[in-house]
Amino acid sequence: MAAHFLFLALLALASSHAIASDPSQLQDFCVADRKSDVFVNGFVCKDPKMAKPEDFFFSGLDKPGDTGNKLGSNVTQVNVNQIPGLNTLGISLARLDFAPYGLNPPHIHPRGTEILVVLEGTLYVGFVTSNPNQLFTKVLNKGDVFVFPQGLIHFQFNYGKTNAVAIAGLSSQNPGVITIANAVFGTKPPISDYVLAKAFQLDKKTVDWLQAQFWMDNNN
């Protein structure tokens, strides 16, 4: 009986690992056919005979993103939507640009772990664990690397008086992003102000004011 339960436990563990990440490819590649009307988890494969080098190529990551916004930051994503050849490969990339004191606000990637390397400048970064919500932070300089585990709230802030640039790798072809402030106060339709007032221990007028703001998302 003990052996039976052990087998079931190991099977459950293996199964959970298998469904907790992007699906693995069963062929050399599966170039996304973004014109297909078929809805699947990811994208339908293009006929491999129709694949071309451009399906695996992206140009322009050397160009700074526009940081002239309220947050003072910009994220240039390079995922399956930009490179169809990333379909099923479980990896993507992003360039992060920061003006002085620019912020990539608290957000999560529901489908991917992030590893970030600073190319220029200084960044104050951190993530928050699930309950009891411990904060892990670090000041990063050029050449430093930091990891943000999948699904945890994290942020990056330009700690310096000059521009900063970083590159992030993510463990999903489409890691997704949920910016916390937008998700809480900028939903359409809005979350009940009574619910938010009670959750954040604020008066309803303050919640109404927050919901009336323009919540910018620089992760698009």
Side-chain angles (χ1 to χ4, degrees):
M1 182 63 71
H4 179 69
F5 281 120
L6 178 60
F7 171 76
L8 291 177
L10 291 173
L11 180 62
L13 180 61
S15 299
S16 64
H17 177 75
I19 64 175
S21 60
D22 286 1
S24 297
Q25 69 274 19
L26 299 176
Q27 52 207 30
D28 287 345
F29 53 78
C30 171
V31 174
D33 182 359
R34 295 196 293 257
K35 296 180 180 179
S36 174
D37 293 328
V38 178
F39 186 82
V40 297
N41 183 27
F43 291 94
V44 173
C45 300
K46 178 192 294 187
D47 184 340
K49 295 178 182 178
M50 302 297 293
K52 52 187 183 296
E54 288 72 23
D55 291 326
F56 304 90
F57 175 78
F58 176 87
S59 179
L61 208 59
D62 61 316
K63 297 179 176 60
D66 182 10
T67 58
N69 52 62
K70 288 184 177 181
L71 294 174
S73 68
N74 186 283
V75 177
T76 303
Q77 297 187 10
V78 186
N79 56 40
V80 70
N81 294 303
Q82 288 75 40
I83 303 181
L86 285 175
N87 193 36
T88 75
L89 297 185
I91 193 170
S92 60
L93 192 68
R95 171 177 171 144
L96 292 76
D97 288 279
F98 299 85
Y101 307 109
L103 171 71
N104 190 15
H107 61 283
I108 68 172
H109 299 295
R111 297 181 292 275
T113 291
E114 175 180 345
I115 184 168
L116 178 138
V117 58
V118 176
L119 301 183
E120 297 178 17
T122 302
L123 293 178
Y124 170 64
V125 306
F127 66 85
V128 181
T129 65
S130 53
N131 291 340
N133 303 133
Q134 182 177 355
L135 175 64
F136 288 78
T137 64
K138 194 75 175 174
V139 175
L140 305 181
N141 296 299
K142 181 177 179 179
D144 290 343
V145 177
F146 199 78
V147 174
F148 307 96
Q150 179 174 339
L152 298 187
I153 294 174
H154 61 283
F155 62 88
Q156 297 101 13
F157 174 65
N158 185 356
Y159 213 61
K161 298 180 181 180
T162 60
N163 292 340
V165 181
I167 294 291
L170 298 111
S171 63
S172 172
Q173 67 181 44
N174 184 23
V177 61
I178 300 173
T179 304
I180 306 307
N182 304 43
V184 173
F185 296 108
T187 61
K188 306 259 185 244
I191 299 173
S192 164
D193 54 3
Y194 175 81
V195 170
L196 295 180
K198 194 172 184 66
F200 288 92
Q201 298 296 288
L202 299 171
D203 61 77
K204 288 181 66 208
K205 287 185 178 180
T206 301
V207 171
D208 292 340
W209 180 83
L210 287 169
Q211 289 181 317
Q213 304 308 301
F214 172 72
W215 293 101
M216 179 190 167
D217 186 352
N218 71 339
N219 285 281
N220 290 328

